[in-house]
Amino acid sequence: MKYVLVTGGVVSGLGKGVTASSIGVLLKACGLRVTCIKIDPYLNTDAGTMSPFEHGEVFVLDDGGEVDLDLGNYERFMDIKLTRDNNITTGKIYQASVGSVIDKERKGDYLGKTVQVVPHITDEIQDWIERVAMIPVDGKEGPVDVCVIELGGTIGDIESMPFIEALGQFSYRVGPGNFCLIHVSLVPVLNVVGEQKTKPTQHSVRGLRGQGLTPNILACRSTVALDDNVKGKLSQFCHVPEQNIITLYDVPNIWHIPLLLRDQKAHEAIFKVLNLQGTTKEPLLKEWTSRAEICDGLHEPVRIAMVGKYTGLSDAYLSILKALLHASVDLRKKLVIDWIPACDLEDATEKENPDAYKAAWKLLKGADGILVPGGFGNRGVQGKILAAKYAREHRIPYLGICLGMQVAVIEFARSVLNLRDANSTEFDPNTKNPCVIFMPEGSKTHMGGTMRLGSRRTYFQIKDCKSAKLYGNRTFIDERHRHRYEVNPDMIARLENAGLSFTGKDETSQRMEIVELPNHPYFIGVQFHPEYKSRPGKPSPLFLGLIAAACGQLDTLIQGSGSQGNLSAKLGNGIAMEKVYQKGTTKPAKVLSDGLYSYCNGVQV
């Protein structure tokens, strides 16, 4: 087994996760089987109880693991399926799992010894890495060839010190030729003089070496490619061969990163360290190159209004952004996201901040499609209900995910069934018409790991519905879930008699999974999170349907094929097609540059 460790220095947010994912893509393209481990030094057991503002989105795995969003990058880039054990945290090492250090201490497994960070914590970390690295994640039998490990945080963080010590010991445990360290660092360019400054990276490497780790390769983040003299200086002061210094400069989209690594022979540097020279092939990235170039060349926009609670931080909806991008690139459209804070659509905002209210409604009314993502808490819920109502009444394509499905049901009950107090017990425990209720197996006292999590099966109830057709007319699908509340089964008959159709249910037929409006161009709500399984080149069917409907091409998409794998064949072949927009014209919508709502235009997602 070979190991590649990716660390970061100078500042956080440099893109270690994308770098680690891109290294995995490059190694896979060379014919190797790859797995990934993300180390998060925080004390939390997992990311499940963290605020999206604090840590970005919570990514959910098939086994129900609530993990760091970087594992989503790994799965999307490398098309693999990871487990909760691929995310190591300090909380898991100390106490969270059976066989953890505290668990062993309580059982007396240490035979009376004083339990210390070294060797007991560091040994547990090393054992965990070795155990998880052997688990195949690509659907094939047998152990993989290379494990890419990303150490979260920045060199010098207090909480990461036990992991750095453990990884230093681990490099000796696995021996020379089996461990490669890639350090991602920043080489800033000062605008005043336009000079690339190497001192931050020098200090970062010095700190890393002072803690027992020596980098084999430097991956330097900068706005532009490094000058040769800058590489020479870094080589001299950081003791890294000049050919092992890679520049990760700013690119139009992150799909270029594996190509940057390939063009600078990063794979050859890694293979030299790991003694893999002559055992691998040249990286085959033809499809990856084509996709990156297609994304760069898109011009015809499709506008999607994202009505959410955490719109101030795009990472809070990272997987949704990726799924929208996968679908829009597949249909050859340039994705434009209009970020709309849900609370800005509410009547209270009209009185308190009329400018924000007008701007939010202007964006909503100008969108080709509307997406309401999941969320928790009652802030902004009324705004989401108003967005669902606008989409339903004005026949604008709508996709509601988790809470987005629930608010669509609540809005329908209020407007069509005339149940004015219809609500979720999450927001009004005393409502007389509870459309959405707390699941009986949930916990109201413990937040972490108590939701309905992971991959669950949904059975289609109606064959002739949009969602079933988009999924290739399958009888059932497996998608990932993360929720505590569900549509009240006692309300289903009334809702369906009024025109709402629950086209997907669980195996008991008591839990609603998919809801549609049959007489609407595209109005679908799902209890699950389809964004978690979307991949470049294999977009989620429901996101593909939303983009196609927003472009007036849904019928062509559905009629194109009976299997989801070929659904986009007619639309994704580069043939120019006239776009019929939801406003009834063929003129592309104007791309706004409103920094408040439109700062995410598909370029960096």
Side-chain angles (χ1 to χ4, degrees):
M1 174 66 70
K2 308 290 185 178
Y3 298 90
V4 176
L5 172 64
V6 179
T7 61
V10 184
V11 294
S12 60
L14 285 178
K16 294 191 304 298
V18 174
T19 303
S21 302
S22 300
I23 290 167
V25 168
L26 189 61
L27 297 180
K28 278 193 70 174
C30 292
L32 296 172
R33 295 177 62 198
V34 185
T35 186
C36 288
I37 294 175
K38 172 67 187 297
I39 297 174
D40 286 303
Y42 48 66
L43 285 169
N44 304 63
T45 299
D46 56 36
T49 57
M50 290 186 177
S51 164
F53 284 127
E54 182 81 16
H55 204 251
E57 77 165 5
V58 176
F59 191 80
V60 179
L61 303 171
D62 268 2
D63 66 359
E66 297 174 286
V67 296
D68 184 80
L69 58 82
D70 280 323
L71 276 80
N73 280 326
Y74 304 157
E75 285 205 344
R76 283 186 290 269
F77 267 59
M78 289 180 275
D79 194 18
I80 56 179
K81 288 185 179 181
L82 300 171
T83 71
R84 67 180 72 223
D85 286 347
N86 289 86
N87 192 192
I88 304 176
T89 69
T90 299
K92 287 181 180 180
I93 294 296
Y94 274 85
Q95 194 170 16
S97 60
V98 177
S100 66
V101 171
I102 299 299
D103 184 57
K104 289 178 179 177
E105 186 275 331
R106 290 291 83 187
K107 289 180 179 178
D109 289 353
Y110 295 117
L111 303 177
K113 290 186 178 180
T114 303
V115 181
Q116 298 175 294
V117 172
V118 181
H120 302 105
I121 295 296
T122 52
D123 283 352
E124 185 70 22
I125 293 168
Q126 294 175 71
D127 292 344
W128 189 305
I129 292 172
E130 279 196 328
R131 172 174 58 84
V132 174
M134 300 298 291
I135 301 173
V137 294
D138 54 4
K140 301 176 182 178
E141 296 294 328
V144 301
D145 301 308
V146 180
C147 177
V148 178
I149 306 166
E150 179 193 347
L151 176 61
T154 307
I155 295 302
D157 294 344
I158 293 174
E159 59 265 30
S160 66
M161 288 183 176
F163 291 97
I164 294 174
E165 174 62 29
L167 289 164
Q169 295 177 15
F170 189 69
S171 67
Y172 287 99
R173 179 193 284 201
V174 299
N178 294 315
F179 188 88
C180 176
L181 198 164
I182 301 175
H183 187 58
V184 183
S185 188
L186 177 68
V187 178
V189 179
L190 299 184
N191 291 332
V192 179
V193 293
E195 182 184 0
Q196 296 172 331
K197 308 302 289 186
T198 64
K199 194 65 70 175
T201 297
Q202 292 180 42
H203 283 292
S204 180
V205 171
R206 185 177 298 123
L208 184 64
R209 294 175 67 192
Q211 295 184 53
L213 288 171
T214 300
N216 303 106
I217 298 171
L218 286 182
C220 299
R221 286 284 289 111
S222 189
T223 54
V224 294
L226 294 186
D227 297 334
D228 289 341
N229 65 311
V230 172
K231 283 189 176 183
K233 191 173 182 180
L234 284 170
S235 175
Q236 181 180 7
F237 284 94
C238 299
H239 304 176
V240 175
E242 196 167 328
Q243 64 269 25
N244 286 13
I245 298 176
I246 310 297
T247 308
L248 299 178
Y249 53 82
D250 294 347
V251 290
N253 69 76
I254 60 172
W255 291 340
H256 283 282
I257 303 301
L259 309 179
L260 275 183
L261 293 171
R262 177 202 62 188
D263 294 344
Q264 298 177 72
K265 306 294 183 183
H267 55 292
E268 293 183 3
I270 294 171
F271 294 157
K272 186 175 181 180
V273 176
L274 297 179
N275 291 333
L276 288 173
Q277 292 169 302
T279 63
T280 57
K281 60 185 180 182
E282 282 297 305
L284 300 175
L285 291 170
K286 183 178 180 180
E287 185 179 344
W288 199 271
T289 304
S290 175
R291 190 179 301 119
E293 292 174 349
I294 288 171
C295 186
D296 290 345
L298 298 176
H299 299 292
E300 189 177 6
V302 56
R303 307 190 66 85
I304 302 297
M306 180 86 78
V307 183
K309 181 179 179 180
Y310 313 109
T311 53
L313 179 68
S314 61
D315 271 1
Y317 302 112
L318 185 63
S319 289
I320 288 178
L321 292 177
K322 302 296 185 184
L324 286 169
L325 181 66
H326 300 160
S328 60
V329 170
D330 206 62
L331 296 177
R332 306 300 191 262
K333 306 299 176 189
K334 181 177 177 61
L335 177 65
V336 181
I337 300 291
D338 287 327
W339 296 92
I340 304 178
C343 55
D344 284 2
L345 297 171
E346 298 173 357
D347 294 340
T349 303
E350 184 179 16
K351 299 175 182 177
E352 298 169 2
N353 191 345
D355 290 341
Y357 178 83
K358 291 177 182 177
W361 275 102
K362 181 180 179 181
L363 286 171
L364 188 72
K365 292 177 180 179
D368 299 314
I370 297 171
L371 193 153
V372 177
F376 299 92
N378 59 7
R379 181 170 65 85
V381 167
Q382 184 58 33
K384 295 177 182 180
I385 291 174
L386 290 169
K389 182 177 183 179
Y390 181 84
R392 181 181 60 81
E393 293 181 342
H394 292 81
R395 300 177 66 78
I396 304 299
Y398 175 90
L399 178 60
I401 297 173
C402 197
L403 180 59
M405 168 188 170
Q406 295 171 8
V407 298
V409 173
I410 293 169
E411 188 280 321
F412 189 87
R414 290 181 181 181
S415 300
V416 180
L417 294 180
N418 204 30
L419 302 176
R420 299 300 181 188
D421 69 336
N423 214 329
S424 166
T425 56
E426 180 181 4
F427 315 126
D428 181 5
N430 301 315
T431 178
K432 294 180 180 179
N433 292 288
C435 293
V436 179
I437 59 173
F438 190 80
M439 292 188 298
E441 68 266 36
S443 171
K444 293 187 177 182
T445 58
H446 289 71
M447 304 297 287
T450 58
M451 288 185 276
R452 184 170 179 248
L453 293 164
S455 182
R456 309 290 176 123
R457 185 154 290 181
T458 295
Y459 292 87
F460 287 106
Q461 308 297 305
I462 302 172
K463 290 184 178 180
D464 188 24
C465 65
K466 294 183 180 68
S467 57
K469 291 176 180 177
L470 286 167
Y471 275 100
N473 295 315
R474 303 177 197 170
T475 56
F476 63 84
I477 54 173
D478 295 308
E479 293 281 9
R480 299 175 184 179
H481 294 66
R482 185 175 185 252
H483 63 109
R484 282 192 178 87
Y485 291 81
E486 62 179 342
V487 176
N488 186 353
D490 296 336
M491 296 280 290
I492 301 307
R494 294 179 67 184
L495 291 165
E496 288 195 321
N497 289 337
L500 207 57
S501 179
F502 290 93
T503 58
K505 299 180 182 180
D506 76 340
E507 66 278 1
T508 68
S509 295
Q510 294 297 304
R511 193 154 275 163
M512 304 302 112
E513 295 283 2
I514 307 175
V515 63
E516 297 186 36
L517 273 178
N519 58 351
H520 191 284
Y522 191 86
F523 193 98
I524 296 178
V526 292
Q527 187 59 74
F528 49 81
H529 289 264
E531 67 271 21
Y532 292 141
K533 296 178 76 170
S534 184
R535 303 284 185 266
K538 294 189 289 185
S540 164
L542 295 177
F543 282 87
L544 198 64
L546 175 67
I547 298 297
C551 300
Q553 298 175 349
L554 181 62
D555 289 341
T556 308
L557 178 70
I558 290 177
Q559 294 168 8
S561 174
S563 64
Q564 194 274 327
N566 297 315
L567 270 176
S568 58
K570 288 189 176 181
L571 298 177
N573 58 5
I575 298 175
M577 300 181 67
E578 183 178 55
K579 173 178 176 181
V580 181
Y581 286 80
Q582 290 301 314
K583 306 306 173 188
T585 70
T586 56
K587 182 181 179 180
K590 182 181 179 182
V591 180
L592 302 178
S593 58
D594 184 343
L596 179 61
Y597 294 100
S598 306
Y599 61 85
C600 184
N601 62 1
V603 173
Q604 293 295 340
V605 301

